[in-house]
Amino acid sequence: METKYRYSVLLFLTIAFFGTKTSAQQPMKSLIAENMQLAASQYKLLAKKVPADQMPRYYDPQKNKWGNSNTQWWCSGFYPGSLMLIYEYTKDEAILKEAEKKLAILEKEKHYTGNHDLGFMMYCSFGTAYRITGNPAYKTTIDTAALSLSTRYRPNIQSIQSWDSNDKLKCPVIIDNMMNLELLMWVAQQGGDSKLKEISLAHANSTLERHFRPDGSSYHVLDYDPVSSKLIRKLTWQGAADESAWSRGQSWGFYGFTMMYRFTRDKRYLDQAKKIASFIFTHHNLPADLVPYWDFNAPGIPDTFRDASSAAINASALLELAQYVNKKEGKGYISRAEKIIRSLSSEKYSAKPGKNGGYLLKHSVGNLPFNSEINTTLTYADYYFLEAMQRYQRWVLNIK
């Protein structure tokens, strides 16, 4: 039976046997299988909606509208990265072929220096592809991208400048930037320039020192004076208020410091990851299903939007953090990650076959203050959901 038909049949049989994803007690192995088979089917539909020279960005179900982007958009790497994660599980050659097409148009961005997002763009795509395929050309691309990202390092503030200056910000550094350190640390670890590690450590340390409040929550943006190097102010760009805890920002910090501990074994990073996790999972405004509102201090709770992307990032970070702590702590982190995966697999958040524009997850929020991508699908929500499931399979179920 041809691959494209085999997975359609498997999806049908799995759903027929277990029913739609309503049972919280469905074995995780079969739940992950069902989700991955659904992903293969969905992403073949999504591929038909994306022009050859663009990347998918979101689907708005209210308007039945697909939004796409050029390859310089910060999310451009998540689609080929998701395809590679789906291929890793299913071995579906059609999925691999689509991934390779999109990697080919993204490759040129290895020279991009317009913002800090090159880690998202190039490591989530080419880094994932290299891990799965071992294609040496992908490593060359990653190496070049890391050097491009390093040009945004500002020694006077010990940080990578996130965005260029504009009429509102002089030298902004955002919490999201922690995620892009993975590109630099990996390349340094794999024989690249040692300065990439030095930059990463300096940035992580300055973020640890300046970005966080005593309760473990983080500001979104720190703005510096590029001449005097003084920290001018702490504010938000996507959260509800400067002093609020924008949910995905907390997730970026949580994942970022967990990842930095992986590379360094610096206990400060582990302690910070645990502190952020404590803030997130003991917060009185975190819903019972562990899918956060778009901001922990959003006005209108509980009658406001959830952010499935934040939950997906948290699930993946929890599973990694569980590897670095004692057995009792690890069991708690795994339990939370499992609950998130089950929540995101439910009918409330997960697409029905053939629906949701070809994406997996519903109900994410991109940038509410700027009225952008509100209660839509988002490519990075799917990416980190897929990554979380792959991690659960490898680290909890011990299935390689």
Side-chain angles (χ1 to χ4, degrees), residues 220-234:
H220 182 201
V221 186
L222 269 58
D223 194 23
Y224 293 88
D225 185 318
V227 178
S228 69
S229 306
K230 291 183 178 179
L231 177 58
I232 303 170
R233 58 180 177 145
K234 301 180 179 184

Side-chain angles (χ1 to χ4, degrees), residues 229-366:
S229 306
K230 291 183 178 179
L231 177 58
I232 303 170
R233 58 180 177 145
K234 301 180 179 184
L235 66 149
T236 195
W237 201 254
Q238 290 172 250
D242 290 346
E243 292 295 331
S244 73
W246 172 51
S247 294
R248 194 163 58 254
Q250 312 316 305
S251 303
W252 292 142
F254 176 33
Y255 190 114
F257 277 100
T258 304
M259 171 268 297
M260 284 299 292
Y261 180 74
R262 179 207 314 159
F263 285 105
T264 67
R265 290 306 192 261
D266 187 327
K267 189 174 182 295
R268 293 176 302 160
Y269 300 156
L270 178 63
D271 290 344
Q272 187 62 29
K274 291 167 67 174
K275 189 172 184 178
I276 300 168
S278 178
F279 172 84
I280 292 171
F281 293 103
T282 64
H283 200 282
H284 64 278
N285 279 338
L286 181 67
D289 65 3
L290 305 187
V291 180
Y293 298 102
W294 69 277
D295 190 297
F296 281 96
N297 309 105
I301 290 174
D303 300 318
T304 190
F305 301 106
R306 302 289 194 94
D307 185 12
S309 74
S310 178
I313 298 161
N314 288 341
S316 192
L318 281 165
L319 289 165
E320 179 164 13
L321 183 57
Q323 311 306 304
Y324 308 138
V325 296
N326 63 51
K327 188 174 182 180
K328 182 179 179 181
E329 285 182 297
K331 186 176 180 180
Y333 291 141
I334 290 170
S335 177
R336 287 170 177 161
E338 179 177 325
K339 186 168 185 178
I340 293 170
I341 292 171
R342 290 186 183 278
S343 293
L344 295 179
S345 301
S346 70
E347 290 187 353
K348 181 174 182 179
Y349 299 101
S350 180
K352 292 181 179 180
K355 305 295 183 181
N356 203 39
Y359 289 84
L360 284 177
L361 295 181
K362 302 178 284 186
H363 304 310
S364 290
V365 174

Side-chain angles (χ1 to χ4, degrees), residues 40 48 68 92 160 192 194 302 307 310 319 344 391-392:
K48 297 176 182 179
N68 300 309
D92 188 324
I160 298 168
S194 61
D307 185 12
S310 178
L319 289 165
L344 295 179
R391 286 179 164 187
Y392 192 98

Side-chain angles (χ1 to χ4, degrees), residues 18-76:
F18 290 107
T20 55
K21 291 175 282 188
T22 57
S23 173
Q25 300 305 313
Q26 182 176 340
M28 284 296 288
K29 182 179 179 180
S30 64
L31 182 64
I32 290 171
E34 182 179 330
N35 283 332
M36 286 297 185
Q37 291 152 14
L38 175 63
S41 176
Q42 288 291 97
Y43 268 58
K44 288 175 182 178
L45 294 176
L46 179 58
K48 297 176 182 179
K49 298 293 183 179
V50 186
D53 61 344
Q54 294 183 19
M55 296 289 190
R57 178 173 164 180
Y58 68 90
Y59 169 72
D60 186 338
Q62 303 300 319
K63 300 177 181 178
N64 192 31
K65 176 185 176 183
W66 283 264
N68 300 309
S69 73
N70 61 27
T71 54
Q72 285 187 357
W73 179 245
W74 77 274
C75 301
S76 59

